[in-house]
Amino acid sequence: MNNHEDITKKEEGWMSRKQAWILFAVLFAILVGVLWYLYAQKQQALVTQENFVQLDPTFIEKTQKNIAQLKQLIEENPNDNNLWRTLGTEYYALGEYANAQEALYKAVELNTFDYLAYANLGDVQRAMGDLVVAEESYKKAIARDPYYTPSYVSLAELYLSQNETAKAEEAYQAGIDVTSDSFLMKKYAVLLEELARYSDAISYWKLAQEKEPENALIADEIKRLEALAGVTGTE
């Protein structure tokens, strides 16, 4: 009987130690996560501060005055999404990303169809490192105004920053299909050249040339790429 009790006590002691180690591991993991988050926030703050310091003092002063004026206008017109959007862009210009995001969230809360606010929100979130959220904001901007070409460019550049070239190409192509915008064609042509797909790049430069027949720079790009394709033997 005593032997059985001894075994039971040993098992209970072992289980208690095991549970303690599990609890310790969980708490340690949580602590590491919290410390990493605080470190990331500190680094972001340092980057923001550095960007702020590098701005021209005259620009800083002017932007701060704009912010003060916008805040006053918002007090008088708190439901004007245009004011909130503009406030967000001013904060973004100073590198105050948290304030910018807050203002832009307010703008889209007041007007869920504000594609400019969503596009700007994507820029802010990308600067903050929230790439998944930024992607969604760009997509919302496109859904609300599929003819606003900067949203496609921003989305493509977001993908490229993550080495997701195929998705970037899809973003450019989607924008071209909808808008037939020469700016998107030229941006896509530049990407295609970087990928050494010279023939495809030439095709998109020629599409852009159809939109801008008087643009001599496009003609120069086509000649340069045709020569490059001939030298490299790329079809």
Side-chain angles (χ1 to χ4, degrees):
M1 194 69 177
N2 290 334
N3 290 338
H4 178 72
E5 290 178 354
D6 290 341
I7 293 172
T8 302
K9 288 180 179 179
K10 288 180 180 179
E11 289 177 347
E12 289 176 350
W14 180 81
M15 288 298 293
S16 297
R17 288 193 296 273
K18 181 180 179 181
Q19 290 172 347
W21 274 108
I22 292 173
L23 178 61
F24 172 78
V26 171
L27 292 175
F28 181 76
I30 293 173
L31 177 61
V32 170
V34 170
L35 291 175
W36 176 254
Y37 173 79
L38 292 175
Y39 172 78
Q41 292 295 103
K42 182 179 179 181
Q43 291 300 110
Q44 181 61 55
L46 290 174
V47 171
T48 300
Q49 183 179 13
E50 182 181 350
N51 291 339
F52 183 83
V53 171
Q54 290 176 350
L55 292 174
D56 180 72
T58 303
F59 174 80
I60 293 174
E61 182 180 0
K62 180 181 178 181
T63 306
Q64 288 175 333
K65 286 181 179 179
N66 291 342
I67 289 172
Q69 292 173 353
L70 284 164
K71 285 183 175 180
Q72 184 175 352
L73 290 171
I74 286 173
E75 286 184 7
E76 301 169 2
N77 306 276
N79 295 322
D80 189 330
N81 69 291
N82 293 312
L83 291 175
W84 284 103
R85 185 197 331 113
T86 306
L87 178 63
T89 57
E90 294 289 341
Y91 274 130
Y92 175 68
L94 286 182
E96 297 185 25
Y97 301 137
N99 288 332
Q101 181 173 240
E102 183 180 352
L104 290 166
Y105 270 137
K106 185 63 178 180
V108 297
E109 176 186 324
L110 292 169
N111 182 3
T112 59
F113 297 100
D114 191 340
Y115 66 93
L116 285 174
Y118 274 114
N120 293 341
L121 187 57
D123 292 339
V124 171
Q125 291 161 337
R126 181 181 172 191
M128 296 176 73
D130 296 332
L131 304 186
V132 174
V133 183
E135 178 184 1
E136 292 303 313
S137 293
Y138 289 138
K139 287 181 177 179
K140 288 178 180 178
I142 290 170
R144 282 152 181 77
D145 187 350
Y147 293 95
Y148 183 63
T149 56
S151 297
Y152 295 102
V153 175
S154 296
L155 182 60
E157 290 176 346
L158 174 69
Y159 288 138
L160 289 173
S161 70
Q162 302 174 81
N163 296 318
E164 295 183 298
T165 306
K167 286 186 176 181
E169 289 193 59
E170 289 175 4
Y172 279 131
Q173 190 60 63
I176 292 169
D177 290 343
V178 172
T179 68
S180 297
D181 187 86
S182 61
F183 177 69
L184 289 176
M185 295 170 184
K186 289 183 283 188
K187 292 287 289 185
Y188 190 19
V190 171
L191 173 59
L192 290 168
E193 180 182 353
E194 292 174 356
L195 298 173
R197 289 162 52 187
Y198 303 122
S199 179
D200 291 337
I202 292 169
S203 295
Y204 279 91
W205 276 114
K206 287 183 176 180
L207 286 174
Q209 189 177 46
E210 292 177 7
K211 300 289 181 179
E212 304 177 36
E214 303 301 322
N215 192 332
L217 293 177
I218 294 179
D220 291 341
E221 285 297 314
I222 293 172
K223 290 179 181 178
R224 182 181 65 80
L225 280 173
E226 287 176 338
L228 185 59
V231 169
T232 59
T234 304
E235 295 182 359

